[in-house]
Amino acid sequence: MQKILFVGAGSMAEALIQGWVEQKVIPSENIYVTNRSKFERLIELSENYAVNILDNHECICEMDLIILATKPKDIQPAMERIQPFISKDTAILSVLAGIPIRTIEEGIGNRPIARVMPNTSATIGMSASGIAFNEQVDDYQKVLYLQLLEAIGIVIEVEEDKLHAVTALSGSGPAYLYYLLEAWEAVGAEFGLSKEVVRELMVQTIAGSAAMLQSVKEEPIVLRRKVTSPGGTTEAGITALENNRFNEAIYACIKSAEARSRELAKGQ
């Protein structure tokens, strides 16, 4: 895939661009960006990552891969804008939450299409992505898609319908963790700790806990119980979480995000 075009220039597009450029997966001169409006955003991406701004839609026919990265509500006009110029050999990769492959096939033709849900940790090469393919993607093309995404994290193939759950879990997951860190910083301030101290402590705690899960291969419940001494401080904290229905809040969070992804799909 020599030339790649991003249609849309939001946070996910930037995360992928930054990840691929900084990980030296794709030369910046092979990456092009376009969107319907906000030309200043394209200039920003061009200045930050040395990518090209697509200024002639006729050049779309030269693209090997087009990445759909608009807001879901903007995808229909975006496809109408680019469809007349797409080569029959051009593959498609969609990072749009909730937009089914069927909608893309109807909008720009029956061609190799992959639908992926990465997260913004792609920026530092640590995304967790789920991916689904249409029937036009052959084994060779599948390898190319997977190599692109494995270069910026892990990628797991799932049935397309399961991408709603992937979106709710890992796609939105970084936001949940950042929200939790906000709460930790707020309560730390009540105890007189600076935001910087709390952040350093808790970021290392998150990183260490994730590394433990990867290295020791024990279930989370086992690791939790090893930290939770009877009558100790951790037990007091866990009890407070249970009393405040922490599990119910997490369930509601994930189910609401998954349901919203399905609502977006129904609108197509």
Short mmCIF file of all heavy atoms in Angstrom, two decimals, residues 97-129:
data_model
loop_
_atom_site.label_atom_id
_atom_site.label_comp_id
_atom_site.label_asym_id
_atom_site.label_seq_id
_atom_site.Cartn_x
_atom_site.Cartn_y
_atom_site.Cartn_z
N ALA A 97 -17.11 4.52 14.10
CA ALA A 97 -17.91 3.79 15.09
C ALA A 97 -19.33 3.59 14.57
O ALA A 97 -19.98 4.55 14.16
CB ALA A 97 -17.93 4.55 16.41
N GLY A 98 -19.78 2.34 14.58
CA GLY A 98 -21.17 2.05 14.29
C GLY A 98 -21.56 1.98 12.84
O GLY A 98 -22.68 1.58 12.53
N ILE A 99 -20.69 2.35 11.92
CA ILE A 99 -21.05 2.36 10.50
C ILE A 99 -20.73 1.00 9.89
O ILE A 99 -19.56 0.61 9.79
CB ILE A 99 -20.30 3.46 9.73
CG1 ILE A 99 -20.54 4.82 10.40
CG2 ILE A 99 -20.73 3.47 8.28
CD1 ILE A 99 -21.99 5.24 10.47
N PRO A 100 -21.75 0.23 9.47
CA PRO A 100 -21.51 -1.13 8.97
C PRO A 100 -20.82 -1.16 7.61
O PRO A 100 -20.90 -0.20 6.83
CB PRO A 100 -22.92 -1.73 8.89
CG PRO A 100 -23.83 -0.57 8.77
CD PRO A 100 -23.18 0.57 9.50
N ILE A 101 -20.16 -2.27 7.35
CA ILE A 101 -19.51 -2.47 6.05
C ILE A 101 -20.52 -2.35 4.92
O ILE A 101 -20.22 -1.79 3.86
CB ILE A 101 -18.81 -3.84 6.02
CG1 ILE A 101 -17.57 -3.81 6.94
CG2 ILE A 101 -18.41 -4.22 4.60
CD1 ILE A 101 -16.87 -5.14 7.09
N ARG A 102 -21.73 -2.84 5.14
CA ARG A 102 -22.79 -2.77 4.12
C ARG A 102 -23.01 -1.33 3.65
O ARG A 102 -23.16 -1.08 2.45
CB ARG A 102 -24.09 -3.34 4.71
CG ARG A 102 -25.33 -3.05 3.88
CD ARG A 102 -26.57 -3.55 4.58
NE ARG A 102 -26.65 -3.12 5.96
CZ ARG A 102 -27.02 -1.89 6.35
NH1 ARG A 102 -27.35 -0.98 5.44
NH2 ARG A 102 -27.08 -1.59 7.64
N THR A 103 -23.01 -0.39 4.58
CA THR A 103 -23.21 1.02 4.22
C THR A 103 -22.07 1.53 3.34
O THR A 103 -22.30 2.29 2.39
CB THR A 103 -23.30 1.88 5.50
OG1 THR A 103 -24.45 1.48 6.25
CG2 THR A 103 -23.40 3.36 5.18
N ILE A 104 -20.86 1.09 3.65
CA ILE A 104 -19.71 1.53 2.86
C ILE A 104 -19.76 0.91 1.46
O ILE A 104 -19.46 1.57 0.46
CB ILE A 104 -18.40 1.16 3.59
CG1 ILE A 104 -18.36 1.86 4.95
CG2 ILE A 104 -17.19 1.54 2.76
CD1 ILE A 104 -17.28 1.36 5.87
N GLU A 105 -20.14 -0.37 1.38
CA GLU A 105 -20.28 -1.02 0.07
C GLU A 105 -21.30 -0.30 -0.79
O GLU A 105 -21.11 -0.11 -1.99
CB GLU A 105 -20.67 -2.49 0.26
CG GLU A 105 -19.55 -3.35 0.85
CD GLU A 105 -20.02 -4.76 1.18
OE1 GLU A 105 -21.25 -4.94 1.38
OE2 GLU A 105 -19.17 -5.66 1.25
N GLU A 106 -22.40 0.09 -0.17
CA GLU A 106 -23.45 0.79 -0.91
C GLU A 106 -22.98 2.18 -1.35
O GLU A 106 -23.39 2.68 -2.39
CB GLU A 106 -24.71 0.92 -0.05
CG GLU A 106 -25.40 -0.42 0.22
CD GLU A 106 -26.50 -0.30 1.26
OE1 GLU A 106 -26.65 0.80 1.85
OE2 GLU A 106 -27.21 -1.31 1.49
N GLY A 107 -22.11 2.79 -0.54
CA GLY A 107 -21.68 4.15 -0.84
C GLY A 107 -20.55 4.25 -1.84
O GLY A 107 -20.52 5.18 -2.66
N ILE A 108 -19.60 3.29 -1.81
CA ILE A 108 -18.44 3.41 -2.71
C ILE A 108 -18.10 2.10 -3.42
O ILE A 108 -17.00 1.94 -3.95
CB ILE A 108 -17.20 3.95 -1.97
CG1 ILE A 108 -16.92 3.17 -0.69
CG2 ILE A 108 -17.35 5.41 -1.65
CD1 ILE A 108 -15.73 3.71 0.08
N GLY A 109 -19.04 1.17 -3.44
CA GLY A 109 -18.84 -0.01 -4.27
C GLY A 109 -18.34 -1.23 -3.52
O GLY A 109 -17.80 -1.13 -2.43
N ASN A 110 -18.54 -2.37 -4.14
CA ASN A 110 -18.15 -3.65 -3.56
C ASN A 110 -16.67 -3.89 -3.85
O ASN A 110 -16.29 -4.29 -4.94
CB ASN A 110 -19.01 -4.77 -4.16
CG ASN A 110 -18.91 -6.04 -3.35
OD1 ASN A 110 -18.44 -6.03 -2.22
ND2 ASN A 110 -19.33 -7.14 -3.93
N ARG A 111 -15.84 -3.66 -2.89
CA ARG A 111 -14.39 -3.73 -3.01
C ARG A 111 -13.82 -4.23 -1.68
O ARG A 111 -14.58 -4.38 -0.72
CB ARG A 111 -13.83 -2.35 -3.34
CG ARG A 111 -14.12 -1.33 -2.23
CD ARG A 111 -13.57 0.06 -2.55
NE ARG A 111 -14.26 0.67 -3.69
CZ ARG A 111 -13.67 0.91 -4.85
NH1 ARG A 111 -12.39 0.59 -5.03
NH2 ARG A 111 -14.33 1.47 -5.84
N PRO A 112 -12.54 -4.51 -1.56
CA PRO A 112 -11.99 -4.92 -0.26
C PRO A 112 -12.20 -3.84 0.80
O PRO A 112 -11.73 -2.71 0.65
CB PRO A 112 -10.50 -5.13 -0.56
CG PRO A 112 -10.45 -5.43 -2.01
CD PRO A 112 -11.54 -4.59 -2.62
N ILE A 113 -12.92 -4.20 1.85
CA ILE A 113 -13.22 -3.25 2.92
C ILE A 113 -12.96 -3.91 4.27
O ILE A 113 -13.43 -5.02 4.53
CB ILE A 113 -14.69 -2.78 2.87
CG1 ILE A 113 -14.97 -2.07 1.54
CG2 ILE A 113 -15.01 -1.86 4.04
CD1 ILE A 113 -16.44 -1.75 1.32
N ALA A 114 -12.21 -3.23 5.10
CA ALA A 114 -12.00 -3.66 6.48
C ALA A 114 -12.55 -2.58 7.39
O ALA A 114 -12.44 -1.38 7.11
CB ALA A 114 -10.52 -3.90 6.78
N ARG A 115 -13.16 -3.03 8.46
CA ARG A 115 -13.68 -2.09 9.45
C ARG A 115 -12.95 -2.35 10.76
O ARG A 115 -12.94 -3.48 11.28
CB ARG A 115 -15.18 -2.31 9.63
CG ARG A 115 -15.84 -1.30 10.53
CD ARG A 115 -17.33 -1.52 10.61
NE ARG A 115 -17.82 -1.02 11.88
CZ ARG A 115 -18.90 -1.44 12.51
NH1 ARG A 115 -19.62 -2.41 11.96
NH2 ARG A 115 -19.26 -0.91 13.64
N VAL A 116 -12.30 -1.33 11.29
CA VAL A 116 -11.46 -1.50 12.47
C VAL A 116 -11.87 -0.50 13.55
O VAL A 116 -12.30 0.61 13.25
CB VAL A 116 -9.96 -1.34 12.13
CG1 VAL A 116 -9.65 0.07 11.67
CG2 VAL A 116 -9.08 -1.71 13.32
N MET A 117 -11.75 -0.92 14.79
CA MET A 117 -11.94 0.00 15.90
C MET A 117 -10.65 0.01 16.73
O MET A 117 -10.43 -0.84 17.58
CB MET A 117 -13.13 -0.44 16.77
CG MET A 117 -13.38 0.49 17.97
SD MET A 117 -13.33 2.27 17.60
CE MET A 117 -14.62 2.43 16.40
N PRO A 118 -9.76 0.97 16.43
CA PRO A 118 -8.56 1.15 17.25
C PRO A 118 -8.87 2.07 18.41
O PRO A 118 -10.04 2.42 18.65
CB PRO A 118 -7.58 1.79 16.26
CG PRO A 118 -8.47 2.58 15.35
CD PRO A 118 -9.82 1.90 15.32
N ASN A 119 -7.86 2.48 19.15
CA ASN A 119 -8.05 3.56 20.11
C ASN A 119 -6.90 4.54 20.00
O ASN A 119 -5.93 4.30 19.26
CB ASN A 119 -8.26 3.05 21.54
CG ASN A 119 -7.08 2.27 22.09
OD1 ASN A 119 -5.92 2.61 21.85
ND2 ASN A 119 -7.37 1.21 22.82
N THR A 120 -6.99 5.64 20.70
CA THR A 120 -6.03 6.72 20.51
C THR A 120 -4.63 6.38 21.01
O THR A 120 -3.68 7.13 20.73
CB THR A 120 -6.51 8.01 21.21
OG1 THR A 120 -6.85 7.71 22.57
CG2 THR A 120 -7.73 8.59 20.49
N SER A 121 -4.45 5.25 21.68
CA SER A 121 -3.11 4.82 22.07
C SER A 121 -2.29 4.38 20.87
O SER A 121 -1.09 4.08 21.00
CB SER A 121 -3.19 3.69 23.11
OG SER A 121 -3.82 4.14 24.29
N ALA A 122 -2.92 4.35 19.68
CA ALA A 122 -2.17 4.13 18.44
C ALA A 122 -1.07 5.17 18.30
O ALA A 122 -0.02 4.91 17.69
CB ALA A 122 -3.11 4.20 17.24
N THR A 123 -1.29 6.34 18.88
CA THR A 123 -0.31 7.42 18.82
C THR A 123 1.06 6.97 19.29
O THR A 123 2.08 7.37 18.72
CB THR A 123 -0.79 8.60 19.71
OG1 THR A 123 -2.04 9.07 19.21
CG2 THR A 123 0.22 9.73 19.70
N ILE A 124 1.10 6.12 20.31
CA ILE A 124 2.38 5.66 20.87
C ILE A 124 2.62 4.18 20.58
O ILE A 124 3.42 3.53 21.24
CB ILE A 124 2.44 5.92 22.39
CG1 ILE A 124 1.27 5.24 23.12
CG2 ILE A 124 2.46 7.41 22.67
CD1 ILE A 124 1.41 5.24 24.63
N GLY A 125 1.92 3.65 19.58
CA GLY A 125 2.13 2.26 19.19
C GLY A 125 1.55 1.24 20.14
O GLY A 125 2.01 0.10 20.18
N MET A 126 0.51 1.63 20.90
CA MET A 126 -0.05 0.72 21.89
C MET A 126 -1.57 0.62 21.78
O MET A 126 -2.27 0.47 22.78
CB MET A 126 0.36 1.15 23.30
CG MET A 126 1.85 1.00 23.56
SD MET A 126 2.30 1.24 25.29
CE MET A 126 1.55 -0.20 26.05
N SER A 127 -2.09 0.70 20.58
CA SER A 127 -3.53 0.57 20.38
C SER A 127 -3.98 -0.87 20.64
O SER A 127 -3.20 -1.81 20.52
CB SER A 127 -3.91 0.97 18.95
OG SER A 127 -5.29 0.79 18.72
N ALA A 128 -5.24 -1.01 21.00
CA ALA A 128 -5.89 -2.32 21.06
C ALA A 128 -7.05 -2.25 20.07
O ALA A 128 -8.00 -1.51 20.29
CB ALA A 128 -6.40 -2.62 22.47
N SER A 129 -6.94 -2.99 18.97
CA SER A 129 -7.89 -2.86 17.86
C SER A 129 -8.63 -4.15 17.60
O SER A 129 -8.06 -5.23 17.69
CB SER A 129 -7.15 -2.44 16.57
OG SER A 129 -6.38 -1.28 16.77
#
